[in-house]
Amino acid sequence: MATRSEPAVALAHEQAAAVHGAYRWVEHRLFALAGAWAARGANDPGARLLLDEASLQHAWHARLWADRLPVLDGVDPDRFTVAPAGCDALFAELADLGDRSGDAPALVAGLSGLYDVVVPALLTSYGHHRRIATEVTDRPTERALGLAASDDAALCAAARRLLDDLAAAPSSLPGERRAPSGSFPSSRLGARLGAHRPAESRLAGV
């Protein structure tokens, strides 16, 4: 159990289902984006390797959260898998960058959007949830949170190393200008996440 600085809270059944469904939605979209970018031929071998690994990790996380959804007679568990407020638009912007993943500045901006903005916000949600989870009733959820958070934190660190390498590498094409490490083509991407995520920079509130 994570070190707790906040009082434990047992989530109501419907609330827990909604939070787990939001986690599933985000991880599944991360899986789809990373896999699509790798398949479209990101122009850097290191980026393709990272995106392939990230896609597999996010797919597994989505399955973890699918397993935490309630199974009730007459209730489709998929109905709980809903985007957190505003995240449809955020991921649409990221998907647009993915359509140009063979272009170095778009690849840098896309990776930074995922692993400097989206996944850190998801990690904040996971961390908050772990701090308030009750040890007796939420042990399976706490385990899923720990596994997903550990993997996602490692992916963020790997992406940051790759982004630093891409920023430092000489241009591979005449006249190509690499985007600065961690930058977006505009400030709208980060602003959109900040506008739509719940308090304390979380993607899914608990």
Side-chain angles (χ1 to χ4, degrees):
M1 180 63 59
T3 302
R4 182 178 294 122
S5 60
E6 302 171 57
V9 177
L11 298 182
H13 187 76
E14 288 277 328
Q15 186 183 12
V19 170
H20 298 164
Y23 293 157
R24 181 193 183 192
W25 187 95
V26 173
E27 291 280 13
H28 186 269
R29 290 300 299 272
L30 289 167
F31 146 70
L33 271 181
W37 292 5
R40 288 192 184 108
N43 65 338
D44 181 86
R48 287 196 298 272
L49 184 63
L50 173 67
L51 288 166
D52 277 334
E53 174 65 20
S55 181
L56 292 173
Q57 294 279 13
H58 292 307
W60 180 59
H61 299 164
R63 290 194 296 272
L64 280 178
W65 293 119
D67 289 344
R68 299 299 306 142
L69 295 177
V71 179
L72 303 170
D73 287 342
V75 178
D76 180 3
D78 286 344
R79 80 178 181 87
F80 297 108
T81 304
V82 178
C87 280
D88 268 326
L90 170 67
F91 276 89
E93 291 194 47
L94 287 165
D96 179 63
L97 290 172
D99 290 339
R100 299 180 282 118
S101 62
D103 172 67
L107 173 63
V108 169
L111 283 170
S112 184
L114 288 182
Y115 295 106
D116 283 341
V117 178
V118 175
V119 176
L122 181 59
L123 285 168
T124 299
S125 291
Y126 286 163
H128 175 74
H129 196 161
R130 292 186 77 188
R131 288 192 297 274
I132 67 168
T134 60
E135 188 166 358
V136 175
T137 61
D138 289 343
R139 189 178 294 277
T141 295
E142 198 276 340
R143 177 167 171 76
L145 287 164
L147 291 169
S150 177
D151 289 344
D152 284 347
L155 287 172
C156 284
R160 173 44 46 202
R161 290 192 297 270
L162 176 63
L163 285 165
D164 289 343
D165 289 344
L166 289 172
S171 172
S172 60
L173 297 174
E176 179 183 289
R177 180 178 179 274
R178 290 193 179 272
S181 176
S183 68
F184 304 112
S186 76
S187 63
R188 288 181 300 123
L189 196 62
R192 186 179 292 281
L193 182 66
H196 292 296
R197 65 196 183 208
E200 298 183 23
S201 302
R202 299 196 296 273
L203 278 177
V206 292

